[in-house]
Amino acid sequence: MGVIVQCKCGNYVTIATEQGQSQGMCPQCGQRVLLPAVGPGSSPMMGGGVIAVPTMVPPKLQAPDKPPCYLTIRADHVNLMAKFDTSPVLISFVEGFAKKLKKQFNVQLVPAPQPGAPSAVVNVLTIDEGNRMLRYLLGIFAGHTIFEIEGEVISSSGQRVPFKHKNRGMMGMFGGDSLGMLRQGGMYLGKKVGKAMGKMG
């Protein structure tokens, strides 16, 4: 996993914490960006403008014999309304995207789209855990979880197709588990963006 941290210039930087990194360099202004200090028992991956994002595709979904396809995940304007680690939502998105394309491409996560290669750029807009009690009491009418993204798929020839998708989790036993519903939304939207990428070729 990596952690996205906002630089003072407003840009977002991914720090590869799974590789032991505690800082990164902002590509926009060149300043060093440090991983925020956290107290005992807390995690830098929860709320407060810090979101954990995957930095690699699970080995079971890699297809090294296929041509590469690049996926970039950003959190430039994220509206994070969750009291838990939201990284599993983005992991599910990556898994859905890679599953949809496994027979066609070897999906790789990168910080920026690669010229001359098929790429998808995803900006996370909203991760909202909703309200389980309202879902339990009012069903489909209130308390939805929300996972919202926008971005674009880019063909190897440079053709760009923008997208904006929102998934609402509405139902579940006793109101449904918020993280579970968000993960389902992540998988669904990952497959949807992957399908668009596959059509671009």
Side-chain angles (χ1 to χ4, degrees):
M1 299 299 296
V3 174
I4 290 181
V5 181
Q6 189 173 22
C7 177
K8 291 177 182 175
C9 73
N11 192 40
Y12 283 77
V13 179
T14 301
I15 299 174
T17 52
E18 82 286 0
Q19 298 170 10
Q21 293 181 7
S22 61
Q23 62 184 11
M25 189 70 68
C26 177
Q28 184 166 294
C29 70
Q31 286 192 46
R32 190 172 56 149
V33 178
L34 301 174
L35 191 65
V38 293
S42 62
S43 165
M45 300 179 183
M46 295 172 65
V50 179
I51 301 174
V53 297
T55 54
M56 62 183 292
V57 175
K60 66 180 180 180
L61 296 175
Q62 294 174 12
D65 58 323
K66 305 292 182 192
C69 170
Y70 299 101
L71 174 61
T72 299
I73 299 178
R74 298 179 179 155
D76 297 341
H77 305 287
V78 66
N79 182 13
L80 180 63
M81 293 177 285
K83 299 182 188 82
F84 46 78
D85 178 6
T86 57
S87 58
V89 181
L90 301 183
I91 291 170
S92 292
F93 178 89
V94 170
E95 289 176 350
F97 183 85
K99 275 182 186 176
K100 198 69 178 176
L101 294 171
K102 188 176 179 183
K103 294 181 180 177
Q104 192 174 354
F105 292 115
N106 183 31
V107 175
Q108 299 173 34
L109 285 159
V110 292
Q114 306 296 301
S119 303
V121 179
V122 177
N123 292 309
V124 181
L125 299 179
T126 304
I127 298 180
D128 185 348
E129 67 178 302
N131 186 305
R132 186 171 188 165
M133 184 59 70
L134 287 178
R135 289 194 301 271
Y136 177 67
L137 295 173
L138 301 175
I140 63 172
F141 301 107
H144 311 139
T145 62
I146 298 173
F147 179 50
E148 183 179 17
I149 59 172
E150 69 177 6
E152 59 184 356
V153 289
I154 308 166
S155 71
S156 53
S157 64
Q159 179 187 359
R160 296 170 179 261
V161 176
F163 62 81
K164 186 170 183 177
H165 302 305
K166 181 189 287 189
N167 178 268
R168 293 176 183 268
M170 300 182 192
M171 306 263 316
M173 185 160 304
F174 302 111
D177 169 55
S178 293
L179 180 57
M181 295 171 81
L182 284 166
R183 288 185 67 184
Q184 288 175 357
M187 180 70 72
Y188 172 76
L189 293 187
K191 288 180 178 179
K192 192 168 187 172
V193 175
K195 183 176 181 180
M197 182 80 264
K199 287 182 178 177
M200 295 277 288

